[in-house]
Every structure is written in structure tokens, then in C-alpha cells.
Amino acid sequence: MERDKISGKYTVVFPDLPGCAIEVEDFIQAYYWAGTRLGFHLYMMGREHEHIPEANPCPYCHYWLDLARQGFMISMALINVVKFNYSFM
């Protein structure tokens, strides 16, 4: 999640899923809509029988853990996309 310094909007990107991103007005909206956007993107990939890639290792996890130890609130979602079961009409 990044905040644009000029517009003040927040952008959430899922790097393992090209095209899966949102831009919203504030942090609360970014936090709320990120999971919904990810779920919809995965649903559409499954519906179109597209390959869902495995997640890449998190390059910044050690950095986030250090911030958490310093008292910062860190929010992460770990989702096993391999186990999604799609059924379509």
C-alpha cells in the first residue's frame, strides 16, 4: 500500500497478480477494499480458466517484523490461492 504525496490517495497493488490493484481516497477504504478486490480478481481468473500463480516470497517481511517489534501496527494477509475451489455455471 502506498500513499500518493500529491493527491493523497492510497494505492494497493498485488504484485503477483498483474492488473489487480485499487486506488482509494483514504487508508480505511484501502484496508477495507483490498481483500474484496483480491477476491474478485481471483474469482474472475478462475472463471476465465486463467492460471493463478503461486505467491512469491515476501522480500520485506523482515522489515515489517522489525517495525512490529517497535510497536507499529502491521497488517498482512496470507492467502493460499492454490486451494481455491471454483465452480461455475
Side-chain angles (χ1 to χ4, degrees):
M1 180 184 319
E2 293 184 48
R3 183 169 189 243
D4 186 283
K5 293 179 182 179
I6 297 171
S7 70
K9 292 184 178 182
Y10 287 82
T11 302
V12 179
V13 177
F14 298 92
D16 293 332
L17 300 170
C20 185
I22 58 167
E23 182 179 88
V24 293
E25 298 294 325
D26 61 40
F27 176 80
I28 300 298
Q29 288 179 345
Y31 188 81
Y32 179 80
W33 288 108
T36 302
R37 178 65 182 107
L38 176 60
F40 179 74
H41 192 86
L42 291 171
Y43 170 79
M44 293 305 292
M45 288 180 74
R47 182 176 169 198
E48 299 297 320
H49 305 289
E50 294 179 27
H51 171 72
I52 297 175
E54 289 189 34
N56 287 317
C58 174
Y60 300 107
C61 286
H62 66 280
Y63 173 72
W64 291 334
L65 289 172
D66 288 342
L67 287 176
R69 288 184 190 108
Q70 296 173 31
F72 288 90
M73 183 184 86
I74 307 298
S75 178
M76 293 177 62
L78 300 175
I79 300 169
N80 185 350
V81 297
V82 176
K83 296 200 177 198
F84 273 77
N85 181 13
Y86 297 100
S87 58
F88 301 99
M89 299 179 84

